[in-house]
């Protein structure tokens, strides 16, 4: 889960009437929610995915358990927000689209009363980043982050350099007749270091190892060897500063250093997060997109045409990547914490309430999304599809992922490089496109055959 705090306005019931009591899940309902939804997400890994766990979840179709729990909860309470006791306290779960739209519309802010260890899972490797910041400092860091990532631009100002790097890194992917997810993730890892830090960092396996260890430790909510983790982060910080000192202008660290930065704000404080997003996020997304295209020949041919004639945006391939993230979101649960007392459908909730939108569930809900269990990239080509809150794999509003545009650019461009000279066949795991797609894909076992065109 990703925890992003938000504020919401305080309102009162009509005529000053006493607020209604909260809808609270019973003990059995809560136990089922924790056992089938919250606990599996924790075991899967919050910042570093445990691939053997994902493989097991794919075999037993774990997502069906979670979805059945959420459907039953929604049906029982008529779609009203439900207060559930989770692993870390009470959590308000949202089901109706009107509530979800409000969730996305609220400004993202941090609780002033947060204890210092509230974000230990992230502070292990993001002590100076956006999420662990508070108040005005958070907004300053978010503004800097948005400037570096060119959040509002579908084509990044430095896309020419980025597309060149993508083309160079993709050559190794098509050197043989097969392509596996491990090779795609390795290419994405090199890609992340070159775009974030510069070409000198491309082969820095030691830095990659340090970051991987910090991410794995963060899965334990910052409780695993905190002193060693802080010392390791200091090494990462020093290595990043070394690369940043001579980084080319197109790299994210160079853009961060060149952008206006308020006094006291570390312009490089978000560097590890940029590396994580491309390294651990984009690599898996690309592998899943290519598997889905291999299973859908007509979509693959449309994407091939786009690879030949599109760019730098590649609208059809971009839609394929978006559809992949809708089906298999990197962050299936969106959580924000209220800054002050809020009211949801006449029920008041105190400041500090965690509000959860199980976006992975909603994006596959056939009552909200037509053909929800199928791979339909064309849905993203419709006007305003990118702002549809029923499909929000990157979030919406002020809390939307600021790196979504850059991620889509890199993901679609790398897919284009693979498709230009090759046809994808023989995908494994085998997908039956005549039935609902599986809720979990064993990404680590993805294998594809490449046939020259």
């Amino acid at each position: 889960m990703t925890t992003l705090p938000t504020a919401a306005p305080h309102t009162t019931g009509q005529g000053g009437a006493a607020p209604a009591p909260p809808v609270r899940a019973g003990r059995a309902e809560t136990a089922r929610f924790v056992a089938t939804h919250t606990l599996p997400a924790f075991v899967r890994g919050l910042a570093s995915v445990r691939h053997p766990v994902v493989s097991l979840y794919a075999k037993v179709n774990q997502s069906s358990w979670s979805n059945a729990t959420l459907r039953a909860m929604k049906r029982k309470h008529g779609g009203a927000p439900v207060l559930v006791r989770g692993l870390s306290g009470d959590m308000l779960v949202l089901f109706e689209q009107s509530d979800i739209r409000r969730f996305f519309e609220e400004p993202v802010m941090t609780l002033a009363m947060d204890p210092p260890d509230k974000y230990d899972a992230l502070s292990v490797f993001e002590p100076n980043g956006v999420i662990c910041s508070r108040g005005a400092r958070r907004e300053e860091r978010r503004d800097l982050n948005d400037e570096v990532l060119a959040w509002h631009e579908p084509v990044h100002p430095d896309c020419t350099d980025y597309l060149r790097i993508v083309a160079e890194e993709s050559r190794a992917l098509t050197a043989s007749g097969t392509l596996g997810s491990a090779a795609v993730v390795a290419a994405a890892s090199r890609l992340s270091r070159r775009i974030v830090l510069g070409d000198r960092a491309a082969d820095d396996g030691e830095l990659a190892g340090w970051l991987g260890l910090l991410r794995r430790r963060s899965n334990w909510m910052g409780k695993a060897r905190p002193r060693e983790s802080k010392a390791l982060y200091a090494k990462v910080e020093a290595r990043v500063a070394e690369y940043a000192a001579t980084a080319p202008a197109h790299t994210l660290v160079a853009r961060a250093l060149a952008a206006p930065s308020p006094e006291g704000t570390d312009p490089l404080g978000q560097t590890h997060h940029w590396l994580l997003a491309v390294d651990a996020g984009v690599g898996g997304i690309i592998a899943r997109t290519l598997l889905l295209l291999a299973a859908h020949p007509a979509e693959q041919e449309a994407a091939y045409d786009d690879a030949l004639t599109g760019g730098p945006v590649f609208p059809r391939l971009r839609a394929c990547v978006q559809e992949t993230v809708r089906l298999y979101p990197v962050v299936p649960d969106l959580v924000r914490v209220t800054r002050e007392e809020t009211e949801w459908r006449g029920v008041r909730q105190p400041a500090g309430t965690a509000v959860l939108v199980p976006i992975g569930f909603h994006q596959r809900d056939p009552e909200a999304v037509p053909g929800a269990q199928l791979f339909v990239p064309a849905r993203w080509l419709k006007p305003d599809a990118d702002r549809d809150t029923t499909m929000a794999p990157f979030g919406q509003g002020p809390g939307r992922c600021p790196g979504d545009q850059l991620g889509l650019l890199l993901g679609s461009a790398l897919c284009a490089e693979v498709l230009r000279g090759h046809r994808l066949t023989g995908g494994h795991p085998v997908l039956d496109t005549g039935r609902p797609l599986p809720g979990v894909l064993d990404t680590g076992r993805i294998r594809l055959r490449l046939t020259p065109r």
Side-chain angles (χ1 to χ4, degrees):
M1 295 181 205
T2 299
T3 303
L4 295 176
T6 185
H10 168 71
T11 59
T12 58
Q14 291 183 346
V23 176
R24 181 179 286 275
R27 290 185 179 180
E29 198 174 13
T30 297
R32 181 182 178 185
F33 177 81
V34 172
T36 64
H37 187 82
T38 309
L39 186 59
F42 179 79
V43 174
R44 173 182 176 270
L46 302 179
S48 178
V49 173
R50 298 181 176 101
H51 293 290
V53 174
V54 174
S55 182
L56 175 62
Y57 286 178
K59 290 178 182 177
V60 301
N61 196 19
Q62 182 276 325
S63 65
S64 66
W65 310 346
S66 171
N67 291 340
T69 296
L70 293 169
R71 277 195 301 271
M73 189 177 291
K74 178 181 179 181
R75 188 181 306 114
K76 178 179 179 180
H77 300 289
V82 180
L83 204 59
V84 183
R85 183 71 178 177
L87 294 177
S88 58
D90 282 349
M91 183 172 293
L92 190 68
V93 185
L94 304 184
F95 292 102
E96 290 296 329
Q97 285 302 313
S98 59
D99 294 323
I100 295 172
R101 282 193 294 271
R102 177 184 168 192
F103 174 91
F104 286 130
E105 289 168 357
E106 299 298 343
V108 177
M109 299 181 71
T110 306
L111 274 166
M113 69 288 288
D114 281 344
D117 63 349
K118 185 169 183 70
Y119 301 107
D120 269 350
L122 294 168
S123 62
V124 167
F125 62 93
E126 191 180 334
N128 301 317
V130 174
I131 293 177
C132 296
S133 305
R134 294 161 176 77
R137 179 55 53 85
R138 183 190 191 284
E139 297 308 311
E140 292 170 352
R141 287 174 173 169
R142 172 71 194 226
D143 289 343
L144 175 62
N145 194 41
D146 292 351
E147 175 70 20
V148 172
L149 297 174
W151 181 30
H152 299 291
E153 301 292 335
V155 178
H156 195 281
D158 290 305
C159 77
T160 300
D161 289 290
Y162 297 164
L163 293 181
R164 171 183 55 79
I165 295 171
V166 168
E168 292 170 357
E169 293 299 332
S170 66
R171 289 170 191 156
L173 298 180
T174 57
S176 67
T178 60
L179 176 60
S181 61
V184 175
V185 172
S189 184
R190 282 179 52 88
L191 182 68
S192 70
R193 291 191 294 275
R194 292 183 66 184
I195 287 177
V196 176
L197 301 171
D199 291 350
R200 288 201 304 129
D203 297 312
D204 194 339
E206 186 175 43
L207 175 61
W210 292 345
L211 290 169
L213 180 56
L214 286 173
R215 293 165 192 164
R216 290 191 295 276
R217 287 180 178 175
S218 74
N219 280 341
W220 298 104
M221 304 301 286
K223 306 304 180 185
R225 303 181 180 179
R227 291 184 180 179
E228 291 92 332
S229 294
K230 289 180 180 179
L232 187 56
Y233 181 81
K235 291 184 178 180
V236 171
E237 202 171 33
R239 184 68 59 86
V240 167
E242 178 185 339
Y243 285 130
T246 59
H250 65 265
T251 60
L252 297 188
V253 290
R255 288 178 58 84
L257 291 173
S261 181
E263 184 178 355
T265 299
D266 179 7
L268 302 179
Q270 198 74 2
T271 302
H272 76 282
H273 203 90
W274 300 330
L275 290 166
L276 171 65
V278 180
D279 184 353
V282 173
I285 292 170
I286 293 169
R288 291 188 287 275
T289 301
L290 294 175
L291 176 66
L292 287 164
L293 287 173
H296 296 81
E299 292 293 348
Q300 183 179 164
E301 289 307 304
Y304 168 67
D305 291 341
D306 190 38
L308 294 180
T309 61
V313 175
F314 302 107
R316 189 77 190 193
L317 273 165
R318 179 187 173 96
C320 291
V321 175
Q322 286 176 293
E323 181 69 347
T324 299
V325 184
R326 180 190 70 82
L327 289 164
Y328 304 102
V330 177
V331 182
D333 285 335
L334 304 178
V335 183
R336 296 181 183 174
V337 181
T338 57
R339 181 175 177 267
E340 56 189 41
E341 183 183 85
T342 57
E343 186 171 306
W344 300 84
R345 298 200 185 187
V347 179
R348 293 181 187 175
Q349 301 292 347
T353 299
V355 183
L356 179 146
V357 172
I359 198 66
F361 164 73
H362 289 299
Q363 291 179 155
R364 282 206 175 206
D365 182 2
E367 295 180 4
V369 180
Q373 303 288 346
L374 305 176
F375 182 64
V376 188
R379 72 174 88 242
W380 293 98
L381 299 175
K382 297 178 181 179
D384 297 329
D386 197 43
R387 291 188 287 275
D388 185 350
T389 56
T390 64
M391 307 184 301
F394 299 103
Q396 293 286 3
R400 186 181 178 114
C401 171
D404 64 337
Q405 299 290 351
L406 180 56
L408 290 170
L409 176 72
L410 298 177
S412 58
L414 202 149
C415 288
E417 292 291 337
V418 173
L419 289 173
R420 281 196 190 103
H422 300 83
R423 181 175 285 106
L424 305 172
T425 60
H428 178 82
V430 177
L431 301 178
D432 183 352
T433 59
R435 304 181 61 185
L437 290 167
V440 181
L441 277 182
D442 189 355
T443 304
R445 295 181 180 273
I446 289 178
R447 298 291 183 275
L448 300 161
R449 284 202 299 269
L450 301 179
T451 304
R453 288 185 179 272

